[in-house]
Amino acid sequence: MAESPSDRPAPARSRIVDLFAGPGGLDVAAQVLDVPAVGIEWDDDACLTRAAAGLQTVHGDVRDYNPEVAPFQDATVLTGGPPCQTFTVAGSGAGRRALYDVLALVTKLGEATDPDDLDLVLKEAEAFDDERTALVLQPLKWALHAHFLGRPYEAIVLEQVPAVLPVWEAMGEILERIGYRFPVRSRPGSEQSTDRDDDLHLPLAMTEPRSEPRAFVFRTEEYGVPQTRRRAVLIARLGSTPRFPAPTHQRYHKGVKPQAGPSELHPYVSMGQALDRTDKFVVVSNYGSGGDPRARGRRDSSLPSATVTGKISRNRLVDSAGNDLGRFTDAEAGCLQTFPRAYPWRGKGLAQQIGNAVPPRLGVHILSAALGLQPPTEDVWKRLREWLPPERKDG
């Protein structure tokens, strides 16, 4: 039986370098798509997880490497999800100032003419109060460095919390100047209803007006992730326009049941479905409550989870009568992020590892679009569900 186009791997020379790779969400997605990947990760515990999962990893600081050195010199795809930065703190005056500082340095990176210029700009970033703030500049530095070498990346994928959207947009403007193109979503009101999020207060004075955005906010439940997580994503291809990853599932609206019957979109995936649990439960969470017990969020098992963060281990599960049912296991928390049930979490701070990760299912959607592949088929999702670490495969 012949392979369908969506099952074929990307061109043989495609290889991903994943900056800030974490425990492996994007790398697992790459494995499912049969694309080799190498991740850079500094956290000891995340590296333990990656080793157990058989993911190729350079254990170190992204700032100590560049596209010229092994094993990154042959990579043709760049991905990255830098840690949360100062400017992602909502309502913070310091956060707004940091955002403007970052955007100013993005502009300076765009004016660089060689790798030495890039390093000089990054030197300025060392003055930031929070060193994490400067890390968001690294993907653009890598992209421009590769461009100066005459070996530009064929595709670039960047992912972070929605507050980073203005930075992705500004970086996209620079990437566009050197030949990159971005997805074009269908018009508002269509099924492709992914947000532009006007409430993010993009500083328009610092970016060029444009009718089509270069980056988007994706709602993960619209892509089969059993969780209402929102992520700012930039997808770029060199010289050609990538397809927009069309939603496959219905959006969650509080108090509105998913549509049954004829629809191009599947109903969203609930926590109960994702965990294969027939018992009904309610998740009691502090997420978004500011620590106020009266404001604790509640989600029924028939709904997607709220955003999985590093605090998921604190969530309580109760039955309809309020009786305690314990907490999510690490494997269950990983499943809510769409990691395979057999994923080998290792080290300390497992909840933080899980919460920081890119959901692999979302990763499959955005990587397949960036790599020029057709939308993933059920065979792809089966490979994700049945993924096993090397020790289990060998056993």
Side-chain angles (χ1 to χ4, degrees), residues 141-213:
K141 179 203 170 186
W142 278 66
L144 292 174
H145 193 144
H147 169 72
F148 293 142
L149 293 175
R151 302 196 303 268
Y153 295 109
E154 295 172 359
I156 297 173
V157 170
L158 304 179
E159 180 269 358
Q160 240 306 336
V161 296
V164 181
L165 186 67
V167 179
W168 290 168
E169 192 71 36
M171 289 183 177
E173 180 182 338
I174 292 167
L175 293 174
E176 190 171 46
R177 293 179 205 158
I178 58 175
Y180 287 91
R181 300 292 177 262
F182 310 91
V184 178
R185 66 176 179 180
S186 58
R187 296 290 89 195
S190 73
E191 293 294 349
Q192 293 184 14
S193 56
T194 303
D195 291 335
R196 184 64 183 88
D197 274 28
D198 294 332
D199 61 331
L200 293 174
H201 307 299
L202 177 65
L204 295 176
M206 302 193 69
T207 61
E208 180 181 328
R210 176 181 163 88
S211 59
E212 292 289 345

Side-chain angles (χ1 to χ4, degrees), residues 34-359:
D34 296 322
V35 181
V38 55
I40 306 177
E41 177 54 44
W42 72 274
D43 181 75
D44 296 343
D45 296 311
C47 286
L48 289 175
T49 295
R50 293 179 61 85
L55 303 177
Q56 186 179 359
T57 307
V58 171
H59 187 175
D61 190 323
V62 168
R63 293 169 292 189
D64 294 335
Y65 303 96
N66 65 60
E68 296 188 60
V69 301
F72 314 119
Q73 72 273 29
D74 296 325
T76 60
V77 178
L78 176 71
T79 66
C84 290
Q85 304 83 21
T86 309
F87 62 80
T88 65
V89 180
S92 165
R96 288 190 294 273
R97 288 191 298 274
L99 173 58
Y100 275 91
D101 288 342
V102 166
L103 291 173
L105 291 184
V106 167
T107 298
K108 288 188 177 183
L109 286 172
E111 295 168 351
T113 58
D114 58 40
D116 289 338
D117 284 349
L118 298 175
D119 289 336
L120 288 174
V121 174
L122 268 295
K123 279 283 186 184
E124 295 185 44
E126 293 177 3
F128 289 141
D129 293 335
D130 186 336
E131 68 172 7
R132 293 174 303 169
T133 301
L135 294 175
V136 75
L137 299 168
Q138 286 294 322
L140 181 59
K141 179 203 170 186
W142 278 66
L144 292 174
H145 193 144
H147 169 72
F148 293 142
L149 293 175
R151 302 196 303 268
Y153 295 109
E154 295 172 359
I156 297 173
V157 170
L158 304 179
E159 180 269 358
Q160 240 306 336
V161 296
V164 181
L165 186 67
V167 179
W168 290 168
E169 192 71 36
M171 289 183 177
E173 180 182 338
I174 292 167
L175 293 174
E176 190 171 46
R177 293 179 205 158
I178 58 175
Y180 287 91
R181 300 292 177 262
F182 310 91
V184 178
R185 66 176 179 180
S186 58
R187 296 290 89 195
S190 73
E191 293 294 349
Q192 293 184 14
S193 56
T194 303
D195 291 335
R196 184 64 183 88
D197 274 28
D198 294 332
D199 61 331
L200 293 174
H201 307 299
L202 177 65
L204 295 176
M206 302 193 69
T207 61
E208 180 181 328
R210 176 181 163 88
S211 59
E212 292 289 345
R214 301 177 182 90
F216 301 86
V217 173
F218 288 75
R219 293 177 179 260
T220 59
E221 80 273 17
E222 292 188 302
Y223 295 89
V225 179
Q227 176 189 168
T228 54
R229 189 185 191 96
R230 296 161 67 243
R231 307 301 285 180
V233 176
L234 179 144
I235 301 171
R237 276 188 65 81
L238 188 65
S240 63
T241 301
R243 65 174 174 81
F244 188 96
T248 54
H249 290 68
Q250 296 171 25
R251 178 178 294 192
Y252 167 72
H253 295 281
K254 187 175 181 179
V256 179
K257 293 183 178 180
Q259 298 176 4
S263 173
E264 293 182 5
L265 300 178
H266 301 289
Y268 54 68
V269 180
S270 71
M271 290 183 282
Q273 290 172 309
L275 302 180
D276 197 24
R277 289 181 60 157
T278 56
D279 62 314
K280 295 185 181 299
F281 60 87
V282 175
V283 181
V284 183
S285 165
N286 281 330
Y287 184 74
S289 69
D292 180 355
R294 296 168 298 180
R296 284 178 178 154
R298 289 175 175 266
R299 286 281 179 97
D300 185 271
S301 57
S302 65
L303 304 175
S305 168
T307 302
V308 172
T309 72
K311 297 179 180 179
I312 190 170
S313 58
R314 303 181 190 179
N315 293 349
R316 294 189 300 113
L317 308 186
V318 298
D319 63 18
S320 56
N323 299 310
D324 185 64
L325 297 176
R327 313 285 172 114
F328 287 126
T329 66
D330 294 324
E332 287 177 325
C335 286
L336 295 179
Q337 281 276 59
T338 65
F339 278 89
R341 191 172 289 273
Y343 205 67
W345 301 102
R346 297 288 188 273
K348 302 175 183 177
L350 296 186
Q352 196 66 50
Q353 288 188 49
I354 294 166
N356 287 346
V358 177

